[in-house]
Amino acid sequence: MLKNIKWNSQSLDSWSEKYARGKFIDLSGRRTHYIEKGKGDPVILLHGFFYDSYLWAENIDALAKNHKVYALDLWGFGYSTREPLDYGYQLYADQVLQFMDHLSIPTASLAGQSMGGGTAILFCLLHRERVNKLILVNSAGLPNKPPLDSKIACIRGVGEFIFGLKTEAIRKNSLKEAFVHKTELVTQHYFEHVTCFHKIRHTTEVLLTVLRKNFFDKLSDEIHRLATVDVPILIVWGKYDKAISLRHGEEMNRILKNSRLEILDNAGHVSNFDCAEQFNKLAVEFLTEIYDKERESIASQSEATAVSS
């Protein structure tokens, strides 16, 4: 039983051999684990803090019906490398670029939740030519007051003590309070799959390092710059998000001229899980639709052809 295994105690290699469900590649000497499924135009899924690629478990199959889906474990999370790094959006944008180059993916749509959304925003600004569309799910980026449990975990010594406790209660409470609105969905099966990688040595150090770097909400300038970039953006937000409130999604939608906001009424911070079926429908339609500008262009060409004939 995973319950009997201490947090932050297992070797990356042995734990990956038991529980990793995907493939591994080496990027600049750092291992990246990823799930790959489907055929078609590429879509890269980027998880948020506390999670790994399992965050998208209820979404991958739906997206893979029409697309080639890649769900990454960002460095320090999941079954990707553990080492002291300069964790932040720049590091993860570099990881995505190296991933695409390694697998010869010329362009892709990016979907990112929370921290993964911030990564997608920065990546699009730095490498617009590599991005088809963006899906931002309860995305980090705008100034935001962190939850109380995050503030407590950032206190030196206190965070180490809390994350080191053998109990599952701390992590379960975090899932129910900050991430998942439909708390009945946080079953033992779900909990163990979400936190399985927390058993790997040095995961606690990474989690606390990422929290203490305090970079999640430092993309205000980049988001305003993204407003000048011609890229289709779908913003999805859970109405009852306690980690990053809905007003941040509304503000992001106001700033980003090429975006549209979809609010999921019975969802929290991980809205793609709380309302998976609704999210999947929105995401698939967005990824496969012809944009309004393209429709207008096609209509104009048809009218011009009709007039000339």
Side-chain angles (χ1 to χ4, degrees), residues 246-261:
L246 174 58
R247 65 181 178 83
H248 290 82
E250 294 169 336
E251 176 67 5
M252 194 173 291
N253 184 53
R254 185 190 67 77
I255 295 169
L256 299 174
K257 308 304 181 185
N258 291 325
S259 69
R260 80 168 188 259
L261 172 65

Side-chain angles (χ1 to χ4, degrees), residues 38 63 69 98 106 109 133 139 146 153 211 218 222 230 256 260 264 268 295:
L63 296 175
V69 180
Q98 290 180 43
S109 294
K133 306 180 187 180
S139 179
L211 279 179
K218 302 298 189 294
E222 287 80 359
D230 185 17
L256 299 174
R260 80 168 188 259
L264 303 187
R295 290 194 186 100

Side-chain angles (χ1 to χ4, degrees), residues 190-201:
Y190 179 75
F191 174 79
E192 290 188 355
H193 277 75
V194 169
T195 61
C196 186
F197 78 91
H198 290 215
K199 303 288 185 177
I200 298 171
R201 278 197 296 270

Side-chain angles (χ1 to χ4, degrees), residues 121-261:
I121 289 168
L122 182 61
F123 183 89
C124 186
L125 277 178
L126 297 176
H127 311 288
R128 169 63 187 93
E129 74 284 357
R130 306 296 293 271
V131 178
N132 295 325
K133 306 180 187 180
L134 289 179
I135 301 178
L136 304 177
V137 185
N138 299 74
S139 179
L142 292 174
N144 180 53
K145 185 178 179 180
L148 178 61
D149 58 349
S150 294
K151 290 182 179 180
I152 294 173
C154 284
I155 301 173
R156 300 285 174 181
V158 175
E160 284 79 1
F161 173 76
I162 292 173
F163 276 100
L165 292 173
K166 188 176 180 180
T167 179
E168 293 183 341
I170 301 297
R171 286 168 173 80
K172 279 185 179 177
N173 185 66
S174 291
L175 280 175
K176 293 179 178 181
E177 287 297 318
F179 293 96
V180 180
H181 175 63
K182 297 179 182 177
T183 55
E184 69 274 11
L185 296 180
V186 184
T187 62
Q188 185 64 22
H189 177 270
Y190 179 75
F191 174 79
E192 290 188 355
H193 277 75
V194 169
T195 61
C196 186
F197 78 91
H198 290 215
K199 303 288 185 177
I200 298 171
R201 278 197 296 270
H202 304 302
T203 298
T204 295
E205 290 86 339
V206 172
L207 293 173
L208 292 176
T209 296
V210 169
L211 279 179
R212 290 166 180 171
K213 285 203 67 178
N214 193 29
F215 65 84
F216 294 153
D217 64 345
K218 302 298 189 294
L219 286 178
S220 184
D221 289 345
E222 287 80 359
I223 290 169
H224 280 84
R225 284 166 50 202
L226 186 61
T228 67
V229 176
D230 185 17
V231 59
I233 303 171
L234 173 64
I235 301 173
V236 181
W237 223 273
K239 183 177 180 179
Y240 298 103
D241 190 339
K242 295 179 182 178
I244 308 177
S245 70
L246 174 58
R247 65 181 178 83
H248 290 82
E250 294 169 336
E251 176 67 5
M252 194 173 291
N253 184 53
R254 185 190 67 77
I255 295 169
L256 299 174
K257 308 304 181 185
N258 291 325
S259 69
R260 80 168 188 259
L261 172 65

